[in-house]
Amino acid sequence: MRTTFLPFARPSISDEDIQAVVQTLQSGWITTGSQCASLEQAMADRLGGANVVAAMSGTAVMDLVFRALNIGPGDEIITPSMTWVSTVNLITLHGATPVFVDVDRDTLLVSPESIESAMTSRTKAVIPVHYCGAPCDMDAIRSICDGRGVHCIEDAAHAIGTRLGSSEVGSTGTAVFSMHPIKTITTGEGGLLATDDEQLAQRVRRLRFHGLEVDAHDRSQHGRAPQAQVFEPGVKANLPDMNAALGLSQLRRLDTFIDRRDVLTKRYREGLADIKGIDPVADPTGSHRHGRHLMIVRVEPTQAGVDRDEFMAMLKDANIGTGIHFLAVHTHAWYREHMPQWDGALPETEYNSDRICSLPLFPDMTDADVDDVLKAVHSIVNAQSAVSS
Ligand SMILES: *Cc1c(COP(=O)(O)O)cnc(C)c1O
């Protein structure tokens, strides 16, 4: 058994990352300034000229987009329930109505068909989730949205660096990235908007900092003109330079991170292939580069001899951390109470919500770490089948 605990995620922090943050701390300017601007520019360059705006979390970016699109009472927002709670909380907080669509049982992705059939005259936006870093079928989803004048906001929290065909997520359309510590690159906390809609980007930028108008002066003067005017009431969600400096340094290693995650994922998949009842989430068909954000398996109790919660507890006893990404939003206490109509309405989502478990996956993991997990999984599942036979 492992003598040290293996967490399910851990950020990869290099000496360069540390130096970048230290230099910012020593520079005399630690809140939003040149580092944030450089991070936005580096991501814009990577995405072939998209408009990029940073904020203090992925959730904050999504909130700003909702405000900029005037999402509110009477609006329906189509999204999966198999997502992080932040999106659905925001829909609710803005007074709009979430309309959940089921996901594919094996990829956890929403399909264009399910989105189309959930559309009504009240649909204001669709929020597909690029689950685990696998891209949704965006050509079809965008054309459904465009045909009806509905906004499409891609939840790309898992999908920084993901490509669909040759096109990177965020290079067209509107995508929201997260830089939370478990995500592929981190700023401690942080998020990025990437959009080809320049007006949307401008409004998000303004709403991000009290609704004050941004101009070139801000950049050259290291701050806003003291006379800057509020053009509409905004919030305070700007990303400090301390955080942005880390993100800028991390972004340089994004492709290395994904490549390492891909190698680890393949090792897991080979090792899990002959284990009954431990079923990895599948990759979508079609040309793509997977972001490999999470290594999710489904624990099928009838075959594995343990249920998901027992499986997680036994791995913990073996010094291996796991996570659940995610419990379906409609199964959370508040949503059960206030939106009971969804109970039982999303069979593939509920199937997965009861069975999914994220195994350790992060770039600094060694091959031996993966083998430790595989060994532990083998012994849990074999021990159970020995008991039941
Ligand atoms: C992490 C995450 C978010 C929110 O990002 P934060 O930066 O934590 O606010 C949104 N959606 C999904 C699917 C996520 O995994």
Side-chain angles (χ1 to χ4, degrees):
M1 196 185 87
R2 287 183 65 94
T3 51
T4 56
F5 185 72
L6 178 68
F8 91 84
R10 192 171 66 203
S12 173
I13 304 295
S14 67
D15 289 343
E16 287 78 20
D17 292 343
I18 293 167
Q19 277 314 307
V21 177
V22 168
Q23 278 166 19
T24 303
L25 287 168
Q26 290 169 335
S27 74
W29 189 274
I30 60 178
T31 186
T32 309
S34 64
Q35 294 299 306
C36 183
S38 298
L39 172 62
E40 291 172 341
Q41 189 59 53
M43 191 63 184
D45 291 346
R46 185 180 166 103
L47 297 175
N51 303 279
V52 176
V53 184
M56 59 187 278
S57 66
T59 306
V61 173
M62 191 64 84
D63 176 53
L64 291 166
V65 170
F66 279 22
R67 291 173 193 276
L69 298 178
N70 303 312
I71 286 171
D75 295 334
E76 292 177 356
I77 312 296
I78 297 174
T79 197
S81 174
M82 181 52 73
T83 187
W84 181 227
V85 293
S86 59
T87 308
V88 186
N89 284 343
L90 285 173
I91 294 169
T92 306
L93 287 169
H94 281 274
T97 305
V99 174
F100 295 125
V101 284
D102 211 355
V103 292
D104 180 272
R105 177 181 286 231
D106 291 319
T107 63
L108 305 183
L109 298 174
V110 292
S111 70
E113 297 73 30
S114 63
I115 288 171
E116 184 154 40
S117 59
M119 291 250 183
T120 73
S121 59
R122 300 182 140 202
T123 306
K124 176 100 172 196
V126 171
I127 308 180
V129 180
H130 299 307
Y131 218 89
C132 297
C136 296
D137 182 356
M138 288 315 301
D139 292 342
I141 293 173
R142 270 192 208 120
S143 89
I144 292 165
C145 291
D146 291 349
R148 294 177 179 248
V150 165
H151 301 289
C152 182
I153 312 162
E154 296 164 56
D155 182 337
H158 300 177
I160 191 164
T162 292
R163 286 193 292 261
L164 180 60
S166 60
S167 163
E168 188 156 319
V169 170
S171 55
T172 49
T174 295
V176 177
F177 300 105
S178 166
M179 297 179 294
H180 179 274
I182 81 155
K183 303 293 160 65
T184 308
I185 65 166
T186 189
T187 52
E189 295 283 356
L192 292 171
L193 169 70
T195 180
D196 55 15
D197 181 342
E198 199 179 329
Q199 282 181 341
L200 174 67
Q202 272 175 12
R203 190 138 180 240
V204 164
R205 197 176 281 284
R206 185 160 88 180
L207 286 164
R208 165 179 80 167
F209 195 74
H210 308 298
L212 293 165
E213 196 55 273
V214 183
D215 57 32
H217 176 87
D218 303 336
R219 293 276 157 76
S220 61
Q221 301 295 309
H222 263 255
R224 271 155 236 271
Q227 299 84 357
Q229 300 287 306
V230 170
F231 279 78
E232 63 178 320
V235 298
K236 178 91 192 308
N238 53 302
L239 184 72
D241 268 12
M242 288 189 296
N243 304 68
L246 177 58
L248 186 58
S249 180
Q250 290 251 308
L251 186 58
R252 296 191 191 107
R253 283 182 295 145
L254 171 57
D255 294 304
T256 317
F257 288 162
I258 294 175
D259 289 347
R260 179 65 189 152
R261 286 170 171 276
D262 198 45
V263 169
L264 294 165
T265 302
K266 291 203 170 103
R267 194 174 187 89
Y268 265 126
R269 295 233 171 137
E270 279 162 25
L272 291 169
D274 60 342
I275 305 184
K276 282 209 170 50
I278 305 295
D279 180 21
V281 164
D283 292 348
T285 55
S287 155
H288 68 281
R289 182 223 212 171
H290 200 296
R292 299 290 178 219
H293 169 54
L294 294 166
M295 177 64 214
I296 298 182
V297 295
R298 281 79 57 82
V299 181
E300 177 48 55
T302 57
Q303 289 178 9
V306 286
D307 68 19
R308 186 262 317 276
D309 295 350
E310 291 163 341
F311 179 76
M312 290 176 71
M314 291 166 101
L315 282 175
K316 193 175 176 199
D317 288 341
N319 257 337
I320 293 165
T322 54
I324 301 177
H325 304 92
F326 302 102
L327 290 179
V329 178
H330 74 280
T331 69
H332 281 260
W334 192 90
Y335 290 98
R336 262 186 212 282
E337 190 187 333
H338 291 86
M339 301 178 188
Q341 72 273 24
W342 293 106
D343 184 25
L346 305 162
E348 308 300 354
T349 297
E350 292 188 4
Y351 173 90
N352 279 285
S353 184
D354 290 340
R355 289 171 180 76
I356 52 178
C357 169
S358 304
L359 300 176
L361 182 66
F362 52 90
D364 292 345
M365 258 179 96
T366 64
D367 292 357
D369 289 332
V370 175
D371 295 345
D372 284 347
V373 179
L374 290 169
K375 239 179 277 165
V377 171
H378 260 287
S379 76
I380 290 168
V381 173
N382 288 337
Q384 299 314 307
S385 44
V387 170
S388 54
S389 63

